[in-house]
Amino acid sequence: MDIKARIKELTSLINEANYNYHSLDKPTITDFEYDKLLNELINLEEKHPEYKSEFSPTSKIGGPILASFNKVTHKSPMMSLSNCFSKEELEKFADKINLEFGDLLYTSELKIDGLAVSINYENGKYVSAATRGNGLVGEDITLNVKTIKSLPLELNEKIDITVRGEIFMPHDSFHLVNEERLANNEEVFANPRNAAAGTIRQLDSSIVAKRKLDLFVYTIVDDYKYVDSQSGVLKYLKELGFKVNPNYKVSKNNELSKIIDEYDLLRKNLPYDTDGVVIKVDNLLIHEEIGYTAKSPKWAIAYKFKPEESITEVLDIVYQVGRTGVITPVAVLKPVFVSGSTVARATLHNEDYIVNKDIRINDIVYVRKAGEIIPEVVSVDLTKRTNQVPFKMIENCPVCKTRLERKENEAFYYCNNLDCPSRNLNGLIHFASREAMNIDGLGEKVIHKFNEFDYLNKISDIYRLKNYYDELTVIEGFGKKSIDKLLKSIEDSKNMEADKLLFGLGIKNVGAKVAKELLKKYKNINNLANASFDDLILIDEIGEVIANSVINYFSNEINRELILDLENLGLNFNFNTKEITKHEFNDKKIVITGTLENYGRKEIASILESFGAKITSSVSKSTDYVIAGSEAGSKLDKAIELGVKVLNETELLERIK
């Protein structure tokens, strides 16, 4: 086999599949076929790196981890658009232009709710990409943008060109990212735009690749070199191989109001967020003549949609029991259509949320989707209130009837019965999840099904499912093939890292990161189980709350029996410490304060931890270094007072580069 020719052929096939799927939304091969081609290419490139192209589709998996983002000066300023919030304002915008330049045509394009990016190509090949920044200077995000599947690394013409577009996170990707963050006890992203912005500034491009961002391109810098209209720009971009949003129209100004109404309806069924319509004079040749303000072009404007709210009735308030025993009130709504889907439930978070908004059963309420995703009750229509009874929090668990507890300074009520069936079910779902033990095939529906048949009631039951092989294979929807695959995945999970097991146990306040920190110290789950409170609070980032959670968990006899059972079943209890590069930051306690020019706090903390540093939140005599950015306050003052070594950003870069 001619390896070089096969690599070239695979590259062509994968690029074509990417374009058809991500740009045209017309897949030509199955996911299985795509993965097979990609894996073959990865293997061939690993064995024959001399034949790998810098524009290979495998580069979309991710590249080297950066220390920071370099600053980039834009060749042409990235200006923002002026906004309008009513059709009257839009009419004034168009009338003013038409009065001076005649009856013009306008393009109307969906305004994607993401973040702007500028992308450069030389001789038709991808070179670089940068954020908007302040409009004049942005950040170099070349490696991260390269991972976006819809981005062509080579154009259909060998030209030098700079294009601009919007990076966004589709709804499906947003759901997956937040599910993962919830499982890791991390704060979820409020909306897809925040998720996209947080993702594109990751220093590890492999993380960016996993989060499946997307891109629409909508303009060319110096566009008049190629075409003479905005509608022509969009057509030409598509010819070059870019993904262009298909929702754009060319019209006279008297049709703009109708077009906006059409887009307002359309956006409710789109798989991504859009917050308005961008209206531009279609004729590019008179843009310069129309001119600019200091911040915005006068030939374009953004019409912003109003957040969609619907009115419905609260039929009931019910309660969910989480894996840690948290009780979450949920509003049962009279089904109502909101932002593209029918909503019948909305989380009410906790008692304080309900009391503050004074939500009652049978109230008429306004509902919307936070970030166009998560249903929430916005407010109550008090003019429709009659004799509704004020809300009163339940006192007992809705499942096992155990008396609920609310701790001081906490917003949530808890069911503390470790044998509560609802807690156990949710605990099983968490334990088997991808972020914990990653048991493929043991999802929420399967767990509920096996629970109905009494095969699965607690975590250790997972590893005894093989004892019911014949019974499992005759359950409707299953068979020998699927059960064999599930049992293999269960067996494989016994070798998962011990910190994944610890996280999977669902100990309150012990997320994925905390689990790893605990086992770095104790090396083995049994050692941790015998740790004292005084020892635990000596670990950086482990305060009294987490220490108490760990002590309470392992002091419970039921939990002790589970730990012993899991060890006897052969699960891995030992933590394998990865060797850390020898560096001056090894085992040093470091505090980060102020604003760094090139880093976010979490990014620099992650880099320092990779050098073996311990990031702490307060300055004390035991602190080894303080990293001080601009506007560093009391922590810097205290460091100077205590004689702690202070590094500015430049000095830090010298040490970690």
Side-chain angles (χ1 to χ4, degrees), residues 450-627:
F450 288 175
N451 176 257
E452 288 174 16
F453 285 91
D454 205 32
Y455 298 130
L456 210 51
N457 295 296
K458 57 183 184 294
I459 287 172
S460 54
D461 289 344
I462 293 172
Y463 298 93
R464 293 190 171 90
L465 283 174
K466 61 185 178 182
N467 299 334
Y468 304 99
Y469 181 83
D470 292 337
E471 293 93 330
L472 295 176
T473 57
V474 295
I475 295 175
E476 186 179 354
F478 295 89
K480 289 188 176 182
K481 189 174 180 180
S482 62
I483 296 300
D484 285 343
K485 185 178 178 181
L486 171 61
L487 294 179
K488 183 181 183 305
S489 184
I490 291 172
E491 198 64 26
D492 290 344
S493 75
K494 291 180 178 180
N495 299 315
M496 287 292 285
E497 298 90 337
D499 59 296
K500 296 286 189 181
L501 171 57
L502 181 62
F503 172 54
L505 292 175
I507 303 171
K508 184 182 175 185
N509 299 314
V510 177
K513 182 179 178 182
V514 170
K516 186 168 287 187
E517 289 301 315
L518 288 168
L519 287 181
K520 277 182 184 177
K521 166 71 175 175
Y522 289 100
K523 314 302 181 190
N524 178 284
I525 289 177
N526 284 324
N527 294 340
L528 174 64
N530 295 315
S532 69
F533 176 85
D534 291 338
D535 284 340
L536 285 166
I537 60 173
L538 292 176
I539 304 172
D540 292 331
E541 304 301 320
I542 306 299
E544 292 185 7
V545 172
I546 295 174
N548 276 321
S549 291
V550 173
I551 295 295
N552 290 339
Y553 181 87
F554 287 111
S555 62
N556 183 279
E557 190 60 35
I558 294 174
N559 293 334
R560 282 279 191 176
E561 289 175 4
L562 171 64
I563 296 300
L564 180 61
D565 203 6
L566 292 176
E567 187 174 28
N568 290 334
L569 285 164
L571 276 73
N572 173 38
F573 272 42
N574 296 313
F575 182 72
N576 296 318
T577 306
K578 294 181 181 177
E579 189 175 336
I580 295 174
T581 305
K582 190 174 181 180
H583 193 274
E584 66 174 290
F585 290 150
N586 290 167
D587 296 320
K588 300 299 183 186
K589 293 181 179 179
I590 298 178
V591 174
I592 306 165
T593 184
T595 303
L596 301 177
E597 185 178 345
N598 296 292
Y599 297 97
R601 290 280 187 91
K602 289 183 180 179
E603 293 164 341
I604 192 60
S606 178
I607 294 167
L608 291 169
E609 284 173 341
S610 73
F611 286 105
K614 298 176 180 177
I615 308 302
T616 60
S617 56
S618 58
V619 179
S620 68
K621 288 181 180 179
S622 65
T623 303
D624 295 295
Y625 294 95
V626 167
I627 310 301

Side-chain angles (χ1 to χ4, degrees), residues 436-450:
M437 298 299 280
N438 194 24
I439 302 177
D440 187 31
L442 195 62
E444 184 173 346
K445 290 181 180 178
V446 175
I447 288 171
H448 278 282
K449 177 67 74 174
F450 288 175

Side-chain angles (χ1 to χ4, degrees), residues 92-337:
K92 287 179 183 177
F93 159 79
D95 285 346
K96 187 176 180 180
I97 294 174
N98 286 357
L99 187 63
E100 187 173 352
F101 296 95
D103 195 12
L104 300 176
L105 292 175
Y106 296 84
T107 54
S108 306
E109 307 167 44
L110 276 178
K111 185 177 182 297
I112 308 304
D113 195 12
L115 61 150
V117 62
S118 183
I119 308 171
N120 298 312
Y121 289 79
E122 292 177 6
N123 198 31
K125 295 182 177 180
Y126 175 71
V127 174
S128 63
T131 61
R132 182 200 298 277
N134 62 10
L136 299 174
V137 178
E139 290 180 312
D140 185 345
I141 52 171
T142 301
L143 289 176
N144 287 350
V145 172
K146 195 175 186 180
T147 68
I148 298 175
K149 292 285 182 69
S150 56
L151 176 84
L153 298 181
E154 293 186 86
L155 303 180
N156 294 329
E157 292 183 24
K158 294 184 177 181
I159 56 173
D160 295 346
I161 193 171
T162 297
V163 301
R164 287 171 181 171
E166 199 82 2
I167 294 170
F168 63 97
M169 183 174 281
H171 292 166
D172 286 347
S173 302
F174 176 70
H175 287 307
L176 289 173
V177 169
N178 269 352
E179 283 174 10
E180 185 174 338
R181 293 179 75 83
L182 277 172
N184 289 329
N185 280 358
E186 296 175 329
E187 185 179 352
V188 297
F189 289 116
N191 53 58
R193 188 190 186 284
N194 287 2
T199 298
I200 208 64
R201 295 197 78 257
Q202 287 282 334
L203 294 172
D204 185 349
S205 58
S206 66
I207 295 175
V208 183
K210 290 176 184 175
R211 291 187 180 176
K212 299 180 181 178
L213 296 176
D214 209 338
L215 168 74
F216 284 126
V217 176
Y218 53 75
T219 195
I220 303 171
V221 176
D222 295 336
D223 37 27
Y224 54 83
K225 288 182 180 179
Y226 309 98
V227 284
D228 60 6
S229 68
Q230 174 60 19
S231 53
V233 164
L234 297 173
K235 291 173 184 174
Y236 182 54
L237 286 169
K238 190 173 181 180
E239 290 171 9
L240 290 175
F242 290 106
K243 183 172 183 176
V244 174
N245 193 291
N247 301 295
Y248 66 89
K249 295 183 179 181
V250 181
S251 69
K252 295 286 186 71
N253 70 314
N254 59 2
E255 298 175 83
L256 292 176
S257 177
K258 179 185 175 185
I259 290 170
I260 284 171
D261 288 341
E262 291 173 358
Y263 282 148
D264 202 2
L265 285 173
L266 173 69
R267 73 185 177 109
K268 298 164 188 174
N269 296 302
L270 293 172
Y272 49 83
D273 279 359
T274 176
D275 59 350
V277 181
V278 175
I279 293 98
K280 303 175 185 175
V281 171
D282 191 50
N283 186 345
L284 303 180
L285 302 180
I286 63 171
H287 281 187
E288 290 296 325
E289 196 175 346
I290 296 172
Y292 302 82
T293 67
K295 296 181 179 179
S296 310
K298 293 180 180 179
W299 41 264
I301 197 167
Y303 176 92
K304 302 300 286 285
F305 292 132
K306 294 177 183 176
E308 184 192 1
E309 294 182 1
S310 297
I311 299 176
T312 188
E313 182 182 357
V314 177
L315 301 178
D316 198 2
I317 295 177
V318 297
Y319 302 86
Q320 294 177 343
V321 186
R323 61 182 173 82
T324 60
V326 172
I327 307 297
T328 304
V330 176
V332 179
L333 306 172
K334 186 175 181 180
V336 62
F337 194 78

